[in-house]
Amino acid sequence: MNENFAAVDRQDHLEDETSGFSLDLGELRSMVYRQRYIIGGAVILALALGLLATMLATPRYSSLLTVLIDHRGQQVVEGGDVEERIKGGDIQRYLQGQVELLKSRNMAGRVVDDLGLAANDNFLLAMNVEVTTKAPAGVNLHLARRTQVITALTENVSVNMSFGSNIANISFESPSKTIAVMVTNAYGKNLITGNIQQRFEATSYARDFLKKEILDAKNRLEESEQAALQYAEKSEIIDASDGVSSSPDNATPRSITTANLVQINAEAAHAKTVRIRAEEKWRQASRTSLMRLPEVLSNPAIQNLQAERSRRIAKRQELSDRYKPDHPAYKEVTSQISIINTQINRLAANIRAGIRGEYDIARNQETSLNRNLGEAKSETASEQRKRIQLNLLNREIDTNQILYQALLKRYEQVSTSADIVNNNISIVDKAESTWQIAPRPFVNMALALFSGVTLGFLLAFIRETFDDSLRSLDDVRRKLGLPLLGTTPVFDGSQPIIELLKNRQSAIAEAFASIRSSLDFSTNQGVPGSLLITSSQPSEGKSTSSIAICESFGRAGKKVLLVDADLRLPSLHKHLNLENNDGFVSLLTGHSTLEKQAQRSKSVDFDFLSCGPVPPDPTGIIVADAIQRFINQYESKYDLILIDGPPVMGLADSPQISRAVGGTIMVVEAAKVHGGKTKTALRRLNDANANILGVLLTKFDDKKSGYGDYYAYNYGYGAGKNPKGSWYARLFPGSARH
């Protein structure tokens, strides 16, 4: 059952170690208290260094310039802005680009050139920068100094712009107030001039680009016109429309061939009309008697001849009344009438022949014009095929002409805006004053305090991590994996432990009473009949604890035997004011009995077996079998045999004894750095199959441990500082002995 108890406790220890990190404020407070000197020293050192750094630091000043960066440039003339308009989604990107431009080395170079900062070393000296006296190989010294100045500017200038705002704050830090203001204003000035110059250069570049494009367009236009002209000449396509109005009333074909076709077509149509009219006139004339023809009847000559004939007939009629037909006068008139009739018939026949002639002429003209029209059509079709290519050339001319005119117009617009450069950056507030930014005593001391506290806690944590000392129940369980049987307070060594234990209400008596109770419950059968009490190294309170435990069990009515088994440095007899007789050594060697060697002091309630003379070979005497025989022989006579063994480290005595006894108590001095000896001692005992009941933490100082009164309630409970005063003692007289 004891082994089961230890195994369960060790399993709990493993679970505690693997349960992960948990913040224990009480543990943290205790750590701070224990490491208060380390933490306090780190804080004081950090504050001293912070104060020293503040006092020795060179004052630094900063000035502020506020500029407005407007993404919308004023458009002086239509198309005058050469730059592309900024879209809404790119505004913030444009503003951020202006901020990065202010931080660039290019802008710093502008400021350097503007203020002449690289002309000498004054600026670098004022900025507390070590001046370069030797330039790298192949680099001019002036160029190296200029690079230093630019670096100093870029490292000390800062530009801030809130998201969604177009107000930029430019500040510059310097040990010199004058330089801080001067450089800050120079940044604002060069930002504006650089912006104007950039836009002017963009306009100048646009003009140069347009000039080149205009020249190329002009050359292309001339080449296309020349190609069209050469093709027209080669193809004999003559444009007849030049110099002629393009109004519908004065429309003229574009080529001679087309003009000829139009003219011949018109003449052929007219000739056809004339021929049809002449043919119809002839047909009518051929069907009508000669003297009924309208042309004959309307002919003036025929009308005159007919009138003359009528007069002659009238005269012949007059002559017929007076003369006979054979009268010369009558015959003469008749002859004249016959001549007139012949003339009328001849003239009428000529008129009919003229109508026929007109018809023949109209028919011949129509035939000739139709023949010419066919030839003109053939020539026009051929010309139209050639004109298709000419039209392509003319369209290229038109395209080049439009491009040429557009470029000329754009060039005029850009030239107009070249002298009016837009500026979208303006200064809101100039840098006129400075304020000190370093050193900042309060900030520096706050940082020093924070650094000191951080460093102190870090050192404390490191020290706690590598510190294997035990200060509390939690430390015992966490570091050793064993239960804590109890703690004993620090007491004044000037007074013997026996005298301290006489006061039942003292802290030391209460502590060992609590330890006795823990031992009673250490196993299911109570306290084992035999116990070994040991430690990893000397002077951890092992002997004192042995006496106190035996005294506590003795006062509780138990029959107890305390054995001093430290065969190298026995000391229990001195604490008990008894002699070191043959003691335990004589029993182990079989030269005596317990009845002869056991002693009892008048001031204690237990029997004591001293060590005896120190043997030359303690290891050869203390063996597990001998110890086991001793315990088996005398265990029935005592309720408890407590063996005070030597320290475990470097000796084989205690592991040998632990194998024979019913349980082992490991005494560990609280708050003492053991260097891993406690764990090594426990491993040696475990290797010997010892039944380790737990750990007794001695010399426990609740104040120094940092736990306050957390573990101290057992020590003074009933010592007069509690509700159990004199009235309680009168009501319960026996309470003082509990």
Side-chain angles (χ1 to χ4, degrees), residues 257 271 288 349 362 370 469 623:
T257 302
T288 306
N370 287 334
S469 60
V623 293

Side-chain angles (χ1 to χ4, degrees), residues 208-254:
D208 294 340
F209 176 78
L210 287 174
K211 280 183 180 179
K212 181 179 178 299
E213 291 297 317
I214 288 173
L215 181 60
D216 293 343
K218 181 180 179 182
N219 293 334
R220 289 195 299 270
L221 177 60
E222 291 177 354
E223 290 174 0
S224 61
E225 289 177 341
Q226 189 68 25
L229 180 60
Q230 290 176 359
Y231 182 81
E233 291 178 352
K234 180 180 179 181
S235 303
E236 297 181 351
I237 301 175
I238 301 175
D239 194 346
S241 62
D242 291 345
V244 181
S245 174
S246 59
S247 61
D249 296 338
N250 297 320
T252 303
R254 296 186 61 184

Side-chain angles (χ1 to χ4, degrees), residues 417-480:
S417 63
D419 298 330
I420 310 175
V421 180
N422 299 335
N423 179 37
N424 62 330
I425 300 177
S426 59
I427 296 178
V428 179
D429 291 321
K430 293 183 64 177
E432 297 178 350
S433 60
T434 61
W435 66 93
Q436 183 174 333
I437 60 171
R440 294 178 290 180
F442 292 105
V443 175
N444 291 349
M445 297 309 293
L447 291 176
L449 177 61
F450 175 78
S451 301
V453 171
T454 303
L455 177 62
F457 270 90
L458 179 61
L459 294 176
F461 177 77
I462 294 175
R463 189 177 181 188
E464 287 281 326
T465 301
F466 293 98
D467 184 8
D468 65 344
S469 60
L470 306 177
R471 297 183 177 87
S472 67
L473 180 147
D474 293 334
D475 287 346
V476 173
R477 293 178 62 86
R478 184 176 66 254
K479 296 180 180 180
L480 302 181

Side-chain angles (χ1 to χ4, degrees), residues 61-77:
Y61 303 93
S62 178
S63 60
L64 181 65
L65 174 74
T66 306
V67 295
L68 172 66
I69 303 177
D70 192 357
H71 63 278
R72 301 165 300 177
Q74 295 181 354
Q75 186 175 350
V76 179
V77 295

Side-chain angles (χ1 to χ4, degrees), residues 117-118 205 212 236 242 291 343 365 395 555 576-577 718:
L117 300 179
Y205 173 80
K212 181 179 178 299
E236 297 181 351
D242 291 345
M291 295 309 295
Q343 291 178 346
Q365 287 181 345
R395 280 198 294 272
R555 289 184 178 181
L576 297 173
N577 294 321

